């Protein structure tokens, strides 16, 4: 479905639910990170792109003087009502409404006047699949509220307001990547984001013969040992041994010289982060120059490092990458790596657009043969960030 079709579909659902047409329709995309994994909390670079999967919210004012917001999503439990005469508070952890309500709270905290409205949410971003349906929901909500209240936020401010909603309302201490790309994505561009300075640079990916193939392993290994927190702590430890505030300023040489002062596992974690921070701007340059062999090497190097040094891959992600690599440039695969936090979720491959069907079929069949699990695949060109759609004329 194109974005406009999705908008129309959501407007129809809105009209069925609330018996009138919507006045506003806001949309925000999910994302995939092309390279730069586990670098965000080390003040490094990431290189995400917005995908052609969106969360769309259609809304219309409630009756005159009404002070309640009604939010409905067929993908969430029940209708959520926000009473604007009462202080807005988070619902218990895990409630889907925390994402949009956290954004509403962010707008109210800016002192805007907000009347009651009815909203219907529809999404083609898979939930919990590592493609950031959560940021898409937050940013779509913020885009809607900009239209309703007339308060137009600066893009950085808007992304940070959404991140705060995820921290304070959803209880997820996420980085800034997902909200930044969902706000600032641009058609035919990746976004190079410096997580330290928050500076962004749009990186053109103009070669129309290339696309990103996203392969969801459809596994999510439950981890009980606080693996994410452990890795963050190991990175901090490495930085401390190097007398740095983060691994952003570390070099491979510095790390080698200090090898004797740290446990091997800490050394390997830092080696991943330092290498990945270096690879990410190189990959951006390679995309800009349509230098596909270099991009491919960087993507495979990223995967190897995540698997061996950072130890956040899993057999299913490794299987996808091995299959993709075996198809190789002759079969239209430029590079492939796991993407997202790891231990399951998605892999991403840069591919020749004209070979997508053959590549998808082969990855799907070999992956299923090896793992007995059906993967989900879809292709995307770099999409635009959040936008308002025009409701159809009455
Ligand atoms: P991801 O962002 O990778 O998809 P998260 O766990 O961060 O995974 O966010 C998924 C959660 O976000 C869902 O469990 C749900 O609570 C909420 N969510 C996202 N999109 C929607 C939607 N369209 N409708 C209802 N809830 C949604
Ligand atoms: Mg998320």
């Amino acid at each position: 479905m194109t974005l406009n079709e999705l908008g129309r579909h959501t407007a129809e659902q809105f009209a069925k639910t609330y018996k009138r047409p919507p006045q506003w329709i806001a949309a925000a995309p999910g994302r995939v990170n092309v390279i730069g994994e586990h670098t965000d909390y080390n003040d490094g670079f990431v290189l995400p792109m917005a995908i052609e999967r969106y969360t769309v919210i259609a809304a219309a004012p409630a009756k005159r003087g009404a002070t309640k917001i009604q939010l409905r999503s067929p993908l969430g439990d029940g209708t959520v009502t926000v009473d604007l005469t009462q202080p807005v508070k988070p619902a218990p952890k895990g409630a889907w409404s925390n994402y949009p309500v956290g954004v509403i709270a962010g707008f109210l905290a800016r002192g805007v006047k907000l009347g009651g409205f009815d909203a219907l949410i529809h999404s083609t971003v898979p939930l919990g699949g590592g493609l950031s349906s959560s940021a898409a929901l937050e940013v779509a909500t913020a885009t809607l509220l900009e239209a309703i209240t007339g308060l137009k936020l600066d893009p950085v401010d808007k992304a940070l307001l959404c991140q705060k909603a995820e921290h304070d309302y959803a209880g997820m201490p996420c980085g800034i990547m997902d909200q930044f790309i969902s706000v600032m994505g641009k058609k035919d561009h990746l976004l190079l984001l410096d997580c330290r300075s928050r500076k962004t640079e749009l990186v053109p990916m103009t070669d129309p013969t290339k696309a990103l193939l996203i392969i969801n392993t459809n596994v999510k290994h439950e981890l009980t040992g606080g693996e994410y927190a452990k890795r963050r702590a190991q990175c901090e430890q490495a930085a401390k041994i190097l007398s740095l505030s983060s691994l952003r300023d570390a070099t491979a040489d510095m790390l080698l010289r200090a090898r004797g002062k740290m446990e091997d596992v800490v050394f390997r974690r830092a080696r991943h982060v330092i290498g990945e921070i270096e690879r990410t701007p190189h990959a951006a340059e390679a995309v800009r120059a349509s230098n596909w062999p270099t991009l491919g090497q960087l993507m495979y190097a990223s995967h190897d490092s995540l698997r061996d040094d950072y130890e956040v891959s899993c057999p299913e992600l490794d299987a996808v990458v091995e299959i993709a690599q075996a198809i190789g440039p002759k079969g239209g695969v430029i590079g492939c790596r796991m993407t997202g936090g790891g231990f399951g979720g998605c892999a991403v491959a840069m591919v020749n657009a004209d070979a997508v069907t053959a590549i998808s079929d082969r990855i799907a069949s070999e992956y299923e043969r090896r793992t007995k699990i059906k993967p989900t695949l879809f292709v995307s060109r770099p999409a635009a960030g959040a936008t308002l759609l025009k409701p159809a004329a009455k």
Side-chain angles (χ1 to χ4, degrees), residues 73 75-76 96 99 121 123 126-134 137 166:
S73 168
L75 299 173
W96 74 271
Y99 301 90
I121 300 164
S123 185
L127 267 59
L131 300 173
S132 210
S133 68
S134 59
L137 178 54
E166 186 141 349

Side-chain angles (χ1 to χ4, degrees), residues 31 54-57 72-77 94-100 121-138 166 170 172 174 178 220:
R31 61 95 187 96
Y54 307 87
T55 296
V56 180
I57 311 185
R72 287 191 202 193
S73 168
L75 299 173
D77 276 349
W96 74 271
S97 58
N98 279 328
Y99 301 90
I121 300 164
H122 181 74
S123 185
T124 54
V125 187
L127 267 59
L131 300 173
S132 210
S133 68
S134 59
L137 178 54
E138 291 148 13
E166 186 141 349
M172 248 319 276
C174 58
D178 301 357
K220 206 174 191 178

